[in-house]
Amino acid sequence: MTVHREDGAILVCDPSGEERRTAEIRLLENAELFFVSADMTELAVAAGSSMPIFAVAEEDLPAPRGFIVFEKPIATDRNFTGEEVPVTAATWWILPNPQLGPMLWFSFYIDAHGALDASVEEGLLTAAEAQARKQAQPRYTYSTDAAQILGVEADPNDQSVLNLWGRTIVAAWLLMQQSLAVRSTVEPDRAARKRLRRQGQEPKAVRVIELRRPKGGGAGDGSREYHHQWIVRGHWRQQWYPARQVHRPVWIAPHIKGPEGAPMIGGEKVYAWKR
């Protein structure tokens, strides 16, 4: 399976069986496209590691079929030569299963070009050698896939790829629905649209997910008078959704509480986010 970028370069390659390739091609052709910025990726990875176990439902997905690319790696895998390579993209779709019920299927992709860039930084390749290899191979290469039954809680002790990498994907879904995420839509420009149509592909918009920068902490809950500031760590909180009659995790971002200018208590480091 091969997917071409708008400039004609090979973007994705899947070396698995013909039936698997056909299914993945169909998925990529019809998938909604998502791009997650670097800082939002870091939050999804960190939040995913502590996300409470819950039964993922179809309503939790931002789209029935999707292809998501992360600006930074969400994990690492090894390629056929044993080299460590970054996992930076994934597809998902809902697969009907008459016996078990609908299955949520993930396919994960490694960034072969990112691995070449890392080799240049480590002095293992020259920039010219890396560029030559990029021209000869796709950027994203199929790595592995896994599925889980929709509406059934995962095993909290599961250390499989689905639980470790899939949790980051699900965390990204939940986070992009909150006010801490900035969602924008980027349309292909005129030249890109023409190139895509020449290749028989219909141009699609990409939904870009970025982290909204916090503007600062509050002075408390209004019912008490505080004389210090303190850090509230980022954490998940279960929130009730009356329309769906379910609880879903909601990420509470790290923030500072207490009156501005008051002494800070606690020995944790404070990282300043600046626009």
Side-chain angles (χ1 to χ4, degrees):
M1 178 264 287
T2 302
V3 175
H4 291 271
R5 200 170 56 198
E6 63 270 16
D7 61 4
I10 298 175
L11 186 64
V12 176
C13 175
D14 180 357
S16 59
E18 186 62 34
E19 184 177 348
R20 181 70 187 82
R21 289 197 297 269
T22 301
E24 194 72 7
I25 290 172
R26 191 179 305 115
L27 167 58
L28 286 164
E29 288 176 341
N30 296 283
E32 298 282 348
L33 306 178
F34 297 82
F35 176 80
V36 183
S37 67
D39 50 5
M40 196 71 192
T41 299
E42 290 183 2
L43 176 57
V45 172
S49 65
S50 64
M51 185 176 62
I53 297 296
F54 70 98
V56 178
E58 188 172 349
E59 293 80 5
D60 296 313
L61 280 62
R65 300 182 177 198
F67 178 58
I68 188 167
V69 175
F70 294 89
E71 190 171 6
K72 296 186 69 174
I74 63 170
T76 57
D77 198 5
R78 293 191 180 277
N79 60 15
F80 63 94
T81 64
E83 297 174 304
E84 197 170 78
V85 287
V87 177
T88 58
T91 57
W92 73 82
W93 66 305
I94 298 175
L95 175 67
N97 187 311
Q99 287 75 39
L100 300 176
M103 306 286 291
L104 174 58
W105 193 284
F106 290 105
S107 296
F108 298 96
Y109 289 80
I110 57 177
D111 184 354
H113 290 194
L116 291 172
D117 291 336
S119 295
V120 172
E121 292 179 3
E122 295 170 6
L124 302 176
L125 289 175
T126 66
E129 290 171 332
Q131 186 60 33
R133 294 193 187 185
K134 287 179 182 180
Q135 296 296 325
Q137 67 182 53
R139 175 164 187 174
Y140 298 110
T141 303
Y142 169 81
S143 172
T144 188
D145 52 29
Q148 71 177 69
I149 305 172
L150 276 176
V152 176
E153 289 191 3
D155 180 356
N157 299 315
D158 181 12
Q159 294 297 304
S160 68
V161 163
L162 172 65
N163 193 40
L164 297 178
W165 301 355
R167 285 168 67 88
T168 297
I169 307 296
V170 176
W173 293 346
L174 297 178
L175 292 168
M176 70 175 65
Q177 298 175 38
Q178 296 186 218
S179 59
L180 57 82
V182 179
R183 296 172 290 267
S184 59
T185 301
V186 177
E187 298 280 354
D189 60 28
R190 184 179 179 182
R193 290 197 300 270
K194 291 177 67 175
R195 285 193 297 268
L196 284 166
R197 287 180 176 135
R198 281 199 300 267
Q199 297 166 10
Q201 301 183 40
E202 187 61 28
K204 286 188 175 183
V206 179
R207 282 186 251 180
V208 179
I209 314 299
E210 299 177 283
L211 184 64
R212 189 187 303 276
R213 298 302 184 180
K215 295 181 179 179
D221 58 12
S223 60
R224 297 180 59 185
E225 182 180 352
Y226 297 99
H227 302 285
H228 295 84
Q229 294 187 87
W230 68 98
I231 299 170
V232 179
R233 292 183 178 180
H235 61 281
W236 290 99
R237 182 179 67 196
Q238 292 284 12
Q239 180 168 310
W240 177 250
Y241 289 79
R244 293 174 55 191
Q245 294 291 295
V246 295
H247 281 95
R248 281 294 175 267
V250 174
W251 179 255
I252 309 301
H255 58 280
I256 298 173
K257 294 196 73 173
E260 187 174 351
M264 177 72 69
I265 58 175
E268 298 181 79
K269 293 182 180 178
V270 178
Y271 295 91
W273 273 341
K274 299 182 178 179
R275 292 182 181 276

